Amino acid sequence: MLSAISRSETVAFVIPYFDDGLVWRRNCLRQTVSSLERQTDPAWCAYLVDDASPAPDTAEFLADLTSSLSGSVTVLRAPHNAGAGQARNLGIEAAHRNGQTLLAYLDADDLAHPDRVAAVRALFAADPELDFAYSNIEFIDQHGAPWEPEGLLPGLRMLDEQQRLPKLRGRERWMEQARERDNIAIPSAMNLRTALALRVPFSAVPFCEDVATLFRYLGSGAKIDHIPDIPTGYRVPREGGSASRKQSGGVDAFNRMRCTNERAGLEEAIATAVRRGAVDERTGREVLCRYLIRIGRTVSADGSPELGRSQLRQAHELDPETFAEHATPAEYADASAAAVTR
C-alpha cells in the first residue's frame, strides 16, 4: 500500500478499455500494460477502466491480466458504454480519491516510453505551476513496427509533420494551437495534474474528445510544457487506418464529428478565456475564424472536401475581415460566391 506521501508523487495512468472479444485488441492491451512494467521509475499506478464492454468474459480477462503485474492496477467498470472520455473521467475521479496528484493518459493499444514516469515526475516537480505536459508520438502498426511517414493517412501525416514545429510552452497557447496546428498531442501523450483534469472533465462525445478537451484545458489558463525524448507509441493498423475513423463509420463521418466536437471545445475555451479577461470577444472571434480555415483545409486533405468547403464558408460568414486576410484567392472566391447565393 502506497503511503500518503508516495501517493502524491506517483504517476497514475488512466487507461480506457473497450473489449469486443477480439484477440488482437486483448493482445494490444497486454502490450500496453507491459510498457508500464518496463518503466525505469517504479512510482506509478494505473486505473484500467472497462467501458461497459460487451464481451462476456472481460472481467475475468482483466483480472487475470492484472494479477501478475508488479505495479498497482485498479480495474474499474463504467455503468454503461459512453466512450473513452467518460471512461477516463472515472479513472480521474478514482485517482483523486486515492490521493494521486499526477496523471498520465494512455489508450489501451498504445505504448508508454520506458522513461515516461521518470520524466513526468521530474518535470512537474521542477515547476510547481505547471499544469499540463505533452510528448511526441511515434506511429506503430498492429505488430508494433514503425510506420514510414509517407504511408500514413493525410491527417496523420500532418500530425507527424507538425511535431517538428516549435513546442508550445507557457500559458494561453490554445490560440496558437487553434490557429496553426491540427493537434499537438493524442491522449496517450498527455500528462497533467489531477486538479486540472477534475476542473475540466472530458465531455460526453464519442470522438475527438481529446482535442476538444485540450482546448478547454489550455483555455482555462493552464500552463503547458513539452517533455522531450519520451515518445508514445501510437498504434495505427496497416488495414483500415486509425481505429477512431473506422469506429465512427469512415473518414467522412469521423471528420464531421471532428469539426462539431472540436469547435464546441474551442468555443468553450474562448468563452472561458473571455471571462478570465485573457482575450476580448474580437480576438476570440478571430481565433475561431482561423480555426475554421485550418480545419477546413485539414478535413479536405483528409478526404472530406465538401465538409472542408463548408468550414471555410462558415469562417467567411463569421469574420469576413480575418477570412480575407488568411484565405487563399480560391477559398475567398468560393466562400464569397456561396454568400451571394444564400
Side-chain angles (χ1 to χ4, degrees), residues 111-113 116 133-139 159-169 181 183-191 225-234:
L111 304 179
H113 189 280
R116 181 170 178 178
Y134 69 105
S135 68
N136 281 13
I137 62 175
E138 292 180 343
F139 293 90
L159 174 58
D160 185 52
E161 292 168 353
Q162 290 180 351
Q163 291 191 115
R164 295 162 179 76
L165 295 174
K167 304 307 179 184
L168 300 188
R169 293 184 166 92
R181 307 186 187 211
N183 192 8
I184 60 168
I186 61 168
S188 293
M190 296 181 183
N191 313 274
D225 203 348
H226 176 264
I227 313 177
D229 304 325
I230 57 161
T232 291
Y234 178 34

Side-chain angles (χ1 to χ4, degrees), residues 80-282:
H80 58 275
N81 177 252
Q86 296 299 283
R88 291 189 196 103
N89 287 341
L90 292 176
I92 292 163
E93 292 162 4
H96 171 65
R97 288 194 299 270
N98 288 330
Q100 272 99 33
T101 62
L102 289 178
L103 302 174
Y105 298 147
L106 185 63
D107 283 353
D109 54 354
D110 295 336
L111 304 179
H113 189 280
D115 293 326
R116 181 170 178 178
V117 170
V120 168
R121 294 182 68 220
L123 186 66
F124 279 87
D127 186 353
E129 294 187 355
L130 182 63
D131 299 294
F132 178 95
Y134 69 105
S135 68
N136 281 13
I137 62 175
E138 292 180 343
F139 293 90
I140 57 174
D141 67 13
Q142 63 269 37
H143 305 296
W147 275 84
E148 293 298 325
E150 58 270 18
L152 295 167
L153 289 170
L156 298 176
R157 189 161 61 246
M158 183 181 298
L159 174 58
D160 185 52
E161 292 168 353
Q162 290 180 351
Q163 291 191 115
R164 295 162 179 76
L165 295 174
K167 304 307 179 184
L168 300 188
R169 293 184 166 92
R171 300 188 189 276
E172 311 303 343
R173 306 310 300 274
W174 58 275
M175 292 182 284
E176 183 176 344
Q177 182 199 342
R179 291 185 299 234
E180 302 174 8
R181 307 186 187 211
D182 180 49
N183 192 8
I184 60 168
I186 61 168
S188 293
M190 296 181 183
N191 313 274
L192 66 160
R193 296 197 189 272
T194 308
L196 174 61
L198 283 172
R199 189 168 71 250
V200 186
F202 283 90
S203 57
V205 295
F207 297 102
C208 298
E209 80 289 340
D210 52 343
V211 178
T213 302
L214 181 56
F215 281 142
R216 293 163 60 231
Y217 284 159
L218 304 186
S220 73
K223 183 178 181 181
I224 184 176
D225 203 348
H226 176 264
I227 313 177
D229 304 325
I230 57 161
T232 291
Y234 178 34
R235 198 180 299 274
V236 178
R238 297 280 174 181
E239 299 295 329
S242 75
S244 294
R245 284 167 171 78
K246 185 175 181 180
Q247 292 165 6
S248 65
V251 170
D252 197 57
F254 172 81
N255 281 330
R256 289 185 183 281
M257 285 185 277
R258 176 187 201 176
C259 291
T260 298
N261 296 340
E262 287 187 11
R263 178 171 179 170
L266 177 56
E267 288 180 333
E268 186 174 338
I270 291 169
T272 300
V274 170
R275 286 195 300 271
R276 292 190 294 107
V279 298
D280 57 23
E281 292 185 356
R282 176 68 188 88

